[in-house]
Amino acid sequence: MFQKVHLRLTLLCAGITSFILILISFIYLYVSEQSLENNQFLSFQGNITAILSNLEQQTVISHELLSKLEANGKYSIFLLDNGIPFLYHKREDNAVKDELLTEVIAYYNIMYPDQAESAKTLPPFKSVHTQFPFSSSVTRMNYYASVIFMQKESGSLQAVVLYPLDKLKQQKSEQRLRFLVIDILAIFLLSLFSWFFTKKLLKPILENQKQQIQFFSSASHELRTPLAVILSCTSACASASAEEVKDFISIIQSEGLRMSALIDDLLTLGKTDSHTFTMHMEQTELDTLLLNSYEAFETMSREKNITLSVSLPDASIPACICSGSRISQVMAILLHNAISYTPDDGAIAVRLAMKEHYFLIEVSDNGIGIPDSEKELIFKPFYRIDKARSSKEHFGLGLCIASEIVRAHNGSIQITDTLGGGSTFTILLPALNNNLCP
Ligand code: ADP
C-alpha cells in the first residue's frame, strides 16, 4: 500500500515538474531559435549593403571582385547584365545553379511584384534591393535571398545573392540535441529527487499509521483482559453457589467499571487526535482549583499515610483563562500517579506560582522516580515503565491525556527528578492564552 502510494506520488511529482521543465525548454528553444534567425537575417542584410556598395562603386566587375564578394563560398552571387546572365557563375558549368537562379527570380516576381515593377523604371545610378527567406525545391535547401536592381551607366544590372542556411540549420539541430540531453538528465534527476522527497513526505504518515496500529492493538489488548474475566465469571455463575455468584457479580462490576474507565480515556484521546476535544475556556482561579484537587485526593493519600501539601503564592495572582474541568483532570492524573508511585509514608507537594508570563503548577513526590531514558516515553499511549508493578486501574494513558490537554492550552509539561529522589511534574500555562487550540 505504502509502496503504491509512494510510486504514484513520485510519478505525479516527477510528471508535473518534468512537464513544466519541458514547457520552459520549448519556450526557451523557440525564443532562442527566433533570435538566432533574426540575427542571421540582420547580418545578411548588413552584408548585402556592403556587396551593393561594392557593386555600385565598380565600373568593371571582375571575377576576382565577385570571388571576393562571395566570401569564399559563403554567398552565391548571380549577376544579370541587361537581363543576360553574367558568365561568372557559369564557369563551373553548373546547371543546378541556373535552375536555382530561375527559381529565385520567379519567386521574387510572384512575391514582390511591386518591387519588380518599380525596378524596371529605375532612374540612373539608383538601386533597389529586397531580402527574403527562400526555400528551393531544386537544391532542397533554405536560403536568405536578396534581389538587387542597379541602374548603371552601361545599363541595368541585376544581382541575386543567396546565403544557404544549412549552417543555421545545423546550429539549430545541435542546440535541440543539447536541450534534449539536458532535459533527459534533468527528468532523471527530478524523478530521483521526487522519489526521495515523497519518501520523506510520507514518513510521518507511515509512522502515524504504525502508531495507530500499535494504539489499537494495545487498546484491544487492554479491553480483552477485563472482558475475558467478565466472560469467565458469567460462565462460572451457572454452576456456582449463591455466595459464589455474589462474588462473581462484584468482580464483573469492578471489571465493567475498569472497562468503562478505559473507554472514557480512549474517547478523550480520540477527541484530542481528531481535534474535536471540547474545552470550555473560562476565567479560572488556579489556587481554588488546586485546593479542590487536594481535597479530592486527601483521603486516598491518607490511606497510604502520604503527606499531601499545597503551597500557594502569598500575593494574589490573576485568574487563568483555561478550561477548569480539563486542568482538574490533569491534576487528578498527576496526583493519582504520585500517590500510586510513592511508597507509604511518603510526601507529595503541590505548588502554584506565577513565573513571568506563565502560571506554574508543580506536583512533586518522593516516590520511585522515573529514569531519564523513560521521561519522554511515558507520554506515549499505553506506555508503562513496569507493567507488572502497575495496578489494574493504570492503563498507561493518563500522562498522554494530560500532555494533550496542556498542549491544547498552549502550555507545556515537563518531568524532573525531585531532590533526594522521586519525580516532579511541572506544568506551564500561558497567562495570555489568546491563541488556543480547539
Ligand atoms: P498509568 O495510568 O499507567 O499511570 P500514565 O500515562 O499516567 O499511565 O503513566 C505512565 C507511566 O509513567 C506509569 O506507568 C509509571 O510507570 C510512570 N509514572 C507516572 N507518574 C509517575 C510518578 N509520579 N512516579 C513514578 N513513575 C510515574
Side-chain angles (χ1 to χ4, degrees):
M1 170 73 180
F2 173 74
Q3 289 295 333
K4 220 173 172 179
V5 174
H6 183 203
L7 192 71
R8 278 188 192 172
L9 268 176
T10 306
L11 285 178
L12 187 78
C13 193
I16 291 173
T17 43
S18 303
F19 174 74
I20 294 170
L21 177 85
I22 290 169
L23 195 75
I24 292 172
S25 300
F26 267 114
I27 294 171
Y28 181 80
L29 206 61
Y30 175 76
V31 172
S32 133
E33 283 185 4
Q34 286 296 311
S35 93
L36 202 68
E37 278 175 25
N38 286 345
N39 286 346
Q40 286 274 13
F41 194 63
L42 281 174
S43 130
F44 174 70
Q45 277 180 323
N47 288 339
I48 288 300
T49 316
I51 291 172
L52 184 66
S53 77
N54 255 300
L55 288 174
E56 275 173 346
Q57 281 163 18
Q58 306 300 321
T59 42
V60 177
I61 296 161
S62 64
H63 284 189
E64 285 70 28
L65 172 74
L66 282 175
S67 173
K68 200 179 108 193
L69 291 179
E70 280 191 334
N72 292 331
K74 199 171 157 194
Y75 296 99
S76 295
I77 301 178
F78 302 90
L79 291 177
L80 292 107
D81 195 5
N82 288 315
I84 300 156
F86 197 69
L87 286 177
Y88 170 72
H89 73 270
K90 286 199 171 269
R91 67 190 166 171
E92 289 162 24
D93 196 21
N94 196 338
V96 177
K97 283 199 171 184
D98 273 348
E99 272 185 62
L100 181 62
L101 177 63
T102 316
E103 197 184 12
V104 179
I105 291 172
Y107 180 81
Y108 171 76
N109 286 336
I110 293 167
M111 296 305 290
Y112 307 95
D114 294 346
Q115 280 97 319
E117 200 54 43
S118 68
K120 285 180 188 164
T121 54
L122 209 60
F125 306 110
K126 286 278 171 198
S127 64
V128 283
H129 59 97
T130 313
Q131 281 76 242
F132 51 91
F134 167 73
S135 185
S136 168
S137 59
V138 176
T139 57
R140 295 187 187 283
M141 275 171 65
N142 294 325
Y143 300 90
Y144 284 148
S146 179
V147 176
I148 303 167
F149 285 98
M150 231 180 274
Q151 201 60 43
K152 296 190 90 159
E153 216 175 345
S154 50
S156 71
L157 180 74
Q158 189 182 358
V160 174
V161 183
L162 288 176
Y163 173 65
L165 295 178
D166 47 352
K167 271 202 182 128
L168 181 72
K169 197 176 163 189
Q170 194 188 341
Q171 257 178 310
K172 282 205 263 183
S173 308
E174 280 171 7
Q175 181 160 290
R176 282 177 193 182
L177 192 73
R178 266 200 301 274
F179 263 83
L180 186 73
V181 172
I182 290 170
D183 275 5
I184 289 173
L185 199 75
I187 288 169
F188 172 73
L189 289 176
L190 277 173
S191 307
L192 211 68
F193 167 76
S194 303
W195 174 263
F196 288 108
F197 176 71
T198 48
K199 194 173 182 180
K200 214 171 166 133
L201 207 73
L202 286 171
K203 207 177 164 191
I205 299 172
L206 191 71
E207 271 167 16
N208 192 279
Q209 196 190 25
K210 269 187 198 162
Q211 277 173 9
Q212 274 191 5
I213 292 169
Q214 173 70 36
F215 181 87
F216 285 122
S217 80
S218 303
S220 38
H221 176 78
E222 293 293 341
L223 282 169
R224 203 181 293 135
T225 318
L227 198 65
V229 176
I230 290 171
L231 288 175
S232 68
C233 283
T234 45
S235 61
C237 273
S239 57
S241 65
E243 198 59 33
E244 281 173 332
V245 169
K246 246 188 184 175
D247 287 345
F248 285 141
I249 287 174
S250 121
I251 293 171
I252 290 170
Q253 245 176 356
S254 77
E255 290 301 310
L257 284 173
R258 215 161 85 77
M259 278 179 83
S260 158
L262 176 59
I263 288 166
D264 281 351
D265 282 356
L266 288 176
L267 284 176
T268 311
L269 271 183
K271 278 179 192 165
T272 60
D273 226 31
S274 61
H275 299 283
T276 51
F277 198 42
T278 49
M279 286 204 309
H280 180 58
M281 304 305 286
E282 61 201 339
Q283 297 231 350
T284 309
E285 305 292 342
L286 285 180
D287 40 9
T288 316
L289 187 145
L290 291 199
L291 286 173
N292 288 340
S293 304
Y294 166 82
E295 275 169 22
F297 284 89
E298 204 196 359
T299 324
M300 198 195 248
S301 63
R302 210 180 301 134
E303 277 168 15
K304 283 183 82 178
N305 205 22
I306 289 172
T307 317
L308 183 61
S309 62
V310 182
S311 144
L312 301 173
D314 295 334
S316 74
I317 57 165
C320 173
I321 299 172
C322 64
S323 164
S325 59
R326 292 294 182 194
I327 298 299
S328 293
Q329 194 179 351
V330 174
M331 286 310 295
I333 292 167
L334 296 186
L335 284 171
H336 193 187
N337 277 350
I339 294 169
S340 304
Y341 302 108
T342 301
D344 291 0
D345 305 320
I348 297 168
V350 179
R351 186 166 78 94
L352 173 67
M354 194 76 203
K355 203 181 170 195
E356 290 168 2
H357 303 299
Y358 288 92
F359 293 100
L360 179 145
I361 302 171
E362 218 172 64
V363 179
S364 53
D365 61 59
N366 62 355
I368 58 171
I370 301 162
D372 285 347
S373 57
E374 311 271 358
K375 280 191 174 87
E376 255 184 54
L377 296 171
I378 57 171
F379 289 101
K380 289 190 185 298
F382 297 107
Y383 191 87
R384 278 165 287 180
I385 297 175
D386 188 353
K387 277 191 188 182
R389 285 206 303 175
S390 299
S391 75
K392 265 186 158 188
E393 67 269 33
H394 286 278
F395 302 107
L397 290 176
L399 286 179
C400 183
I401 294 172
S403 74
E404 286 298 329
I405 293 173
V406 174
R407 193 189 57 83
H409 280 84
N410 287 339
S412 68
I413 182 164
Q414 285 153 12
I415 314 169
T416 47
D417 296 328
T418 311
L419 227 78
S423 320
T424 299
F425 287 79
T426 310
I427 297 168
L428 290 178
L429 292 176
L432 291 170
N433 224 340
N434 298 323
N435 189 20
L436 292 168
C437 308

